Amino acid sequence: MRPDDVLRFGGRALTSARGRTWLMLLAMAIGVAAVVVLTALGDGARRYVSNEFSSLGTHLLVMLPGRTETSGAAPPLVGGTPRDITLEDVRALQRAREIRLLAPIVVGSAPVSHKQLERESTILGSTAAMLDIRNLELASGRFLPDDDLLHAAPLAVLGAKLKQHLFGNQPALGEWIRLNDRRYRVIGVLKPMGESIGVDIGDVAIIPAASAQALFDTESVFRVLIQADGRERIGQAKAAALAIMKDRHNGEEDVTVITQDALLATFDGIFQTLTFSVVGIAAISLGVAGILIMNVMLVSVSQRTAEVGLLKALGGRERQILWLFLVEAGLLSLAGAALGLLLALAGVWGLGRTLPELPLVVPPWSIAAALLVSLGTGLLFGVLPARRAARLDPVFALNRR
Amino acid sequence: MIRLEGIERLFQVGDEQVHALRGVDLTLEAGEYVSLMGPSGSGKSTLLNVLGLLDRPNAGRYWFEGIDTAELAEERRADLRRDRIGFVFQSFHLIGRLTARENVELPLMLAGIAPAERHARASKVLDALGLEDRADHRPDQLSGGQRQRVAIARATILEPALLLADEPTGNLDKHSSADVMRVLEELNQSGLTLVVVTHDPEVGERARRRIHMEDGAIVSG
Ligand SMILES: Nc1ncnc2c1ncn2[C@@H]1O[C@H](COP(=O)(O)OP(=O)(O)O)[C@@H](O)[C@H]1O
Ligand SMILES: [Mg+2]
């Protein structure tokens, strides 16, 4: 028998039993669509987190007060009362050769006003190095000056949104704004940027770290961003930073240094597991589709018993009849998979519109996997009915009505 | 051409054994026209199925064109059915979703013959049976007589040596019956060995040789 005839015969059998065929197509399509959409979602979530972290800048380490037992996974939840990190500590850290750049971060929130306009914004206290460490870009003016860490200069750099809110399209450079009751001169405006780890960089005012400490009446630093002197020196930078802090804090290691790689690896691992388990769930729905295909094919074989008997009387070999039914199941699964892929693409497109911040792409491997798995399922579950057909006794089959 | 010796066929029905064929001896010469008659349940269909290699006897020997069929593998038996034997059934056994032409082409398709050649050969046979303008009709668009002629076209397209018909006129009116019998007899006249199972004496008596069966055994002929 010619392969094209086998295909055509199977196709005709499927198109002539519409109800049955649609039912099986739908089952397969839903299974395949589930696999593809869920992988896209899992993959999208992983990319989202990974993008968020890489927007922090490369070979970055983050130092925070307090000590965690597990290295790098999460910030401390409980602990004694760790000693604060101070600007003097930061100055000491600057002397480490393994550290290229260092930016303390003091965070708070305060009303920012210019003339009658006011807006509650996030205030970041930092230094000139923050520009490079966080990959910020200026739309106009300049960033914080690279002068003494302890000097509380009344200067401010505004995020794009905040500038727009306070000044509209008027120039802001050189103007004075108020944070609480202190006055700061605007020296720069940032380019519009997206979010970065939960902080809307458009809606901030960045002032010198010492100014922020004065503003919020604190001696402590919230985080220290450390950029190692090259990717391969991340480990050394971490060790050096910890050693310096230990030395300054009476031999007590009461700070935590998180490396971006460790964080990323953790999240990567979590999302990989998530993706796989989600795919596992989807695979179960494919299995259900397979069982449905098997049952409907079994019904089809028993309804077509006389046809099988006839084919045998006409000289059809067992193997040919096996192929006829297997190919039918295979065609069905491929058509179902194709329909499922269309469904999935539509679904991913729809999800992409509702969750624009998720970078949703259908990974090519998931399409290949879905096609293969559905074809595999169809054939696997098609074997039993096809074997039953091929082994029918022709006399019995011909007389079955 | 065909020789049967001591053919037995037993069916197990519950605890009971049904003796469908008992000690059947039969010889058919090439080109013969034979009718197989007898009461219902006398074993006519069972004998026909054995002759057509659809069923295997429990005992006895069967030579088909000099070949001892007991030694044949199932695949070889299928090939012989395809190339040397044609079947015609009371209920036609046409595939409803296929056109008359496609039904006729089925043996050619199973034999792996290319579509163009199939088309030409099917046209020839359909023409010969007066079905040229019915080729693209599906079975439910044909009359009983036309359906049986399509089935005969299918049974003979590979030019078999033996044509087996089990109650070929059982579902047909008088007019169509005569029509179908005439077609079968024309085929016989061109050399085909023809065996017709019937319980209609009028049909059976047309054959040159009449075999009567009773209770699984040949009683005359
Ligand atoms: N597959 C079968 N299983 C059990 N008994 C059968 C089977 N086929 C035929 N028989 C029995 O064998 C006998 C002969 O049947 P059959 O050849 O169909 O008779 P006929 O065609 O002459 O009416 C009957 O008693 C029938 O019930
Ligand atoms: Mg019968």
Side-chain angles (χ1 to χ4, degrees), chain A residues 399, chain B residues 39-46 48-49 90 166-167 197-199:
Chain A
N399 293 329
Chain B
S40 175
S42 59
K44 307 180 296 289
S45 296
T46 305
L48 205 70
N49 290 333
Q90 178 176 359
D166 195 346
E167 310 264 11
V197 166
T198 183
H199 59 248

Side-chain angles (χ1 to χ4, degrees), chain A residues 5 12 307 312 317, chain B residues 79 81 97 102 109 118:
Chain A
D5 283 328
R12 289 288 289 274
E307 178 183 326
K312 289 200 152 187
R317 294 176 168 193
Chain B
D79 290 352
R81 286 201 295 270
R97 62 177 181 277
E102 288 165 333
M109 188 185 86
R118 291 208 303 254

Side-chain angles (χ1 to χ4, degrees), chain A residues 189-225:
Chain A
V189 176
L190 294 175
K191 273 191 180 166
M193 287 178 81
E195 256 181 41
S196 166
I197 307 289
V199 177
D200 184 352
I201 284 294
D203 206 6
V204 292
I206 303 174
I207 59 177
S211 309
Q213 283 187 333
L215 180 65
F216 298 120
D217 191 21
T218 172
E219 292 286 293
S220 71
V221 168
F222 174 64
R223 295 285 186 270
V224 183
L225 304 181

Side-chain angles (χ1 to χ4, degrees), chain A residues 83 89 243-254:
Chain A
R83 277 174 65 170
D89 291 333
I244 291 169
M245 292 307 291
K246 193 171 175 178
D247 191 42
R248 291 181 56 83
H249 287 184
N250 307 329
E252 210 180 316
E253 201 171 286
D254 58 359

